[in-house]
Amino acid sequence: MNLRKLRVVVAALMLVAATLLFLDFTGTAHRFLGWVAKVQLLPALLAVNVGVVAVLVVLTLLFGRLYCSVICPLGLMQDLFARLGRKAKRNRYAYSPAKQVLRYGFLAAFVALMVAGVGQIAAWIAPYSAFGRIVSTLFAPLWQLANNGLAWLAERGGSYAFYTVEIWWKGAALVGLSAVTLIVVAVLAWRNGRTWCNTVCPVGTVLGLLSRYSWLRPVIDTEKCNGCGLCARNCKAACINQKTHEIDLSRCVVCFDCIDSCKQGAVSYAPRKRATKVIAKSENTDSSRRQFLTVAALMAGTAAAEAKRQKVDGGLAVIVDKKNPVRKTPIVPAGAGSWKRFTQHCTACQLCVTACPNGVLRPSGGVMTLLQPEMGYEKGYCRPECTKCAEVCPTGAIRPITREEKSSEQIGRAVWVKENCLPATEGVKCDNCARHCPTGAIQMIEKDGKRIPSIDTTKCIGCGACENLCPSRPFSAIYVEGNLQHETL
């Protein structure tokens, strides 16, 4: 098997694995394939996963931008669209100089947003997060619809191999952003190959700075080359200048298409020391500027932790009567530590939203937290024994946590709203909140001849069971107020 076929096979397996993470509603894929999310560069940086970052840096310095052509799911998605364009017209690419102003402009904007503490906006162009939003928002409902169709057919045949699941269509903002991203990526890839990778993507730009020093690299033997230009016309990165026999290593994604297309054997994947009679160069740019941008991009994830100003307006809590104050602090999952830390590390990839079995996590519509997950208890409550979101989070926004630790971590406190409580206002008998509280924080007490709930905030963990199961409509008589800083009971 040649290098190109080997790369294609490995890349296909990685793309399938990454896609299944966002489609799977059973939890099986996350148990076996969760590592795929954790080896992505930006999530690893935000999680301060030094081991993964070091491996990816070494991989790039040894072999070039293999990350972009084997590991990154958005890059692999581009290859699918590029392949469709290739079928429409073969040998269709042509060399074009690097769009340096755009490349470094997008990278500078990305770094500036991360340092300013608005990483959720910067994540709009982050490759893994963009891929996650596309799959979980646009493809997952279709996957669930197909599953329900199979469940219906299986039931008619007396089989229960499949079961019906609730189809969740996300909000207009998330659907719109995901659709626009997909269309832009698809059109650019269909027309020009890896334009997104080499112009928009900040990860691609950073890896490009490292790949120009890679040990192994595609090189052109000028003695064998007959000038046919097949290598350049098959280069989806548009980085081969056939007239000067030069290869821009900062944009080369090591797809091996040039090697596979060369009929003269003039293009090879060789160590740098052999480049005595071959030419392989990177675009000329100021090295000091490149080094500065590299360091800035690599450190942006950790620098953001100290830069973001805390905002606590929270928005209207939809479960609270309009007469009551709005929720002061949003609720974030156990393992996040605090709302501030969570928003600084989250890239809005939607993986935790996909993995949540109880429908508690959903994309936020807030300006400062747009598309980042937020917790709400309209569909379900956060079960103390469930740690799915912490298991799948690749950035460390939700740290790994055991069931025992989660059961003792207070993410918020229940608040009773007398005006909404049926026993208090209508004198009916109800003890749903007390019966279903998993920590025993709610007890029914006699007051003025009525049995009303009494909350022990030293036992409440903010799971939302009381809020979710309260029969009062449209607003619950108990809601959870988030903690700025999570506490251990």
Side-chain angles (χ1 to χ4, degrees), residues 2-61:
N2 62 26
L3 289 174
R4 179 180 177 276
K5 290 181 179 178
L6 178 61
R7 182 197 66 81
V8 169
V9 169
V10 177
L13 293 175
M14 289 292 294
L15 179 59
V16 170
T19 304
L20 285 176
L21 284 179
F22 293 97
L23 295 180
D24 178 51
F25 50 80
T26 66
T28 305
H30 297 94
R31 186 159 54 248
F32 296 102
L33 302 174
W35 59 270
V36 175
K38 292 177 171 59
V39 298
Q40 305 299 321
L41 181 57
L42 183 58
L45 279 171
L46 292 175
V48 198
N49 194 330
V50 179
V52 171
V53 174
V55 168
L56 294 178
V57 169
V58 172
L59 181 71
T60 305
L61 291 174

Side-chain angles (χ1 to χ4, degrees), residues 18 58 86 124 132 195 232 267-268 293 316 318 323 344 409 457:
V58 172
R86 186 177 180 183
W124 291 1
T195 302
V267 185
S268 61
L293 289 172
L316 182 64
V318 297
K323 297 179 182 179
Q344 289 171 343
E409 181 171 339
T457 56

Side-chain angles (χ1 to χ4, degrees), residues 3-304:
L3 289 174
R4 179 180 177 276
K5 290 181 179 178
L6 178 61
R7 182 197 66 81
V8 169
V9 169
V10 177
L13 293 175
M14 289 292 294
L15 179 59
V16 170
T19 304
L20 285 176
L21 284 179
F22 293 97
L23 295 180
D24 178 51
F25 50 80
T26 66
T28 305
H30 297 94
R31 186 159 54 248
F32 296 102
L33 302 174
W35 59 270
V36 175
K38 292 177 171 59
V39 298
Q40 305 299 321
L41 181 57
L42 183 58
L45 279 171
L46 292 175
V48 198
N49 194 330
V50 179
V52 171
V53 174
V55 168
L56 294 178
V57 169
V58 172
L59 181 71
T60 305
L61 291 174
L62 288 176
F63 305 109
R65 285 173 60 180
L66 274 180
Y67 173 89
C68 298
S69 59
V70 175
I71 300 175
C72 176
L74 190 68
L76 305 180
M77 177 182 280
Q78 291 176 72
D79 284 349
L80 292 179
F81 291 118
R83 190 170 186 81
L84 294 176
R86 186 177 180 183
K87 287 186 176 181
K89 182 180 179 181
R90 296 181 62 83
N91 303 326
R92 63 194 182 92
Y93 299 118
Y95 170 77
S96 65
K99 307 297 188 294
Q100 302 290 45
V101 174
L102 288 176
R103 291 178 79 186
Y104 294 111
F106 276 114
L107 178 59
F110 179 83
V111 173
L113 289 170
M114 293 294 289
V115 172
V118 285
Q120 62 273 22
I121 299 177
W124 291 1
I125 61 174
Y128 180 72
S129 298
F131 177 84
R133 287 191 294 270
I134 290 171
V135 176
S136 63
T137 304
L138 304 180
F139 299 155
L142 302 178
W143 179 270
Q144 294 162 356
L145 186 63
N147 170 83
N148 290 352
L150 290 175
W152 184 85
L153 292 174
E155 184 180 353
R156 296 301 178 275
S159 171
Y160 294 92
F162 298 91
Y163 60 91
T164 302
V165 297
E166 180 183 0
I167 300 176
W168 186 4
W169 301 95
K170 307 293 175 58
L174 182 57
V175 171
L177 178 61
S178 302
V180 169
T181 304
L182 177 61
I183 292 171
V184 172
V185 169
V187 170
L188 290 178
W190 187 82
R191 289 171 58 92
N192 303 303
R194 288 297 190 106
T195 302
W196 178 280
C197 283
N198 287 325
T199 305
V200 180
C201 179
V203 174
T205 301
V206 170
L207 293 178
L209 301 176
L210 298 175
S211 64
R212 61 196 294 258
Y213 303 108
S214 62
W215 176 58
L216 286 172
R217 54 185 59 196
V219 292
I220 302 173
D221 191 328
T222 55
E223 294 181 2
K224 294 182 180 179
C225 180
N226 62 359
C228 67
L230 277 177
C231 57
R233 284 182 285 157
N234 283 277
C235 178
K236 56 195 171 192
C239 66
I240 301 179
N241 189 339
Q242 65 185 64
K243 294 181 180 179
T244 60
H245 298 91
E246 296 173 350
I247 300 176
D248 180 1
L249 296 176
S250 72
R251 290 186 290 156
C252 176
V253 294
V254 200
C255 65
F256 304 119
D257 286 354
C258 56
I259 298 175
D260 197 58
S261 63
C262 182
K263 308 301 181 184
Q264 309 300 318
V267 185
S268 61
Y269 189 53
R272 183 193 302 185
K273 63 181 180 181
R274 288 183 49 192
T276 53
K277 63 176 181 178
V278 298
I279 302 177
K281 69 175 255 185
S282 177
E283 293 289 325
N284 292 323
T285 47
D286 182 69
S287 60
S288 62
R289 180 180 63 178
R290 289 189 173 222
Q291 293 172 0
F292 166 76
L293 289 172
T294 302
V295 174
L298 291 175
M299 297 302 296
T302 52

Side-chain angles (χ1 to χ4, degrees), residues 319-337:
I319 59 172
V320 183
D321 195 293
K322 293 181 181 179
K323 297 179 182 179
N324 293 310
V326 298
R327 189 176 305 185
K328 296 180 180 179
T329 305
I331 314 165
V332 293

